[in-house]
Amino acid sequence: MKVIATLLTGTLLFGCASVNMLPAAVNEVDFDSPEGKTGWSKYEQVETFHGYTTTQIYEALKVGLGESGFSLRLADKSKGVVIGEHGITLHDWNVIAGAYFKEDGNATVIKIIIEGSKDTGISGDVTGDGWTGQILGATSRYLNDNYQSVLKVNRDDM
């Protein structure tokens, strides 16, 4: 009985996703690495947003995480990072999402990295693969609803 309790406690403690699993700053992120499912319970996606400032993107990412059910754990504009945690889901003890952003000319490139808990479960990893799209979708809606991008302003002036 002690062995089962110890194993269960270890799985819960060491299987949970934590902020330490993600890069601490944008300069630690490879924006050219493969996208999609890239690990046991890891998903990555990159998108480019044109005509918004990094301040607007930073604010939008915080809202995008929140609207996707994530609680803010770390936000540092100077490091180009916003990290949130989602509690227990049908498939995971918890999920951590990192949103990283950097300027690229007249655009801002965003990379979302999702890490689910490392529990083995009966069917292996079943972390939802839609988290990246949910976060990016909510971020995009916030930008569209609250800011007029520089590109839109420039087109109207023509």
Side-chain angles (χ1 to χ4, degrees), residues 111-126:
K111 181 163 192 167
I112 306 292
I113 301 174
I114 301 294
E115 283 280 5
S117 55
K118 302 297 186 223
D119 50 358
T120 55
I122 294 171
S123 59
D125 167 47
V126 289

Side-chain angles (χ1 to χ4, degrees), residues 39-142:
W40 173 259
S41 58
K42 184 176 185 179
Y43 295 85
E44 301 179 54
Q45 186 173 344
V46 176
E47 293 295 334
T48 303
F49 288 79
H50 296 275
Y52 296 101
T53 68
T54 54
T55 299
Q56 292 168 332
I57 295 289
Y58 174 69
E59 294 301 323
L61 285 169
K62 291 190 289 184
V63 171
L65 282 166
E67 287 187 8
S68 300
F70 288 80
S71 299
L72 194 61
R73 292 289 173 248
L74 172 73
D76 189 331
K77 183 181 167 205
S78 67
K79 291 184 178 180
V81 61
V82 179
I83 295 177
E85 179 178 16
H86 193 292
I88 193 166
T89 70
L90 291 174
H91 305 295
D92 287 287
W93 289 106
N94 70 321
V95 178
I96 297 290
Y100 304 89
F101 59 97
K102 66 178 183 175
E103 284 185 300
D104 185 18
N106 189 26
T108 304
V109 182
I110 297 172
K111 181 163 192 167
I112 306 292
I113 301 174
I114 301 294
E115 283 280 5
S117 55
K118 302 297 186 223
D119 50 358
T120 55
I122 294 171
S123 59
D125 167 47
V126 289
T127 299
D129 60 356
W131 291 117
T132 56
Q134 285 183 35
I135 295 165
L136 287 166
T139 298
S140 180
R141 282 189 300 279
Y142 179 83

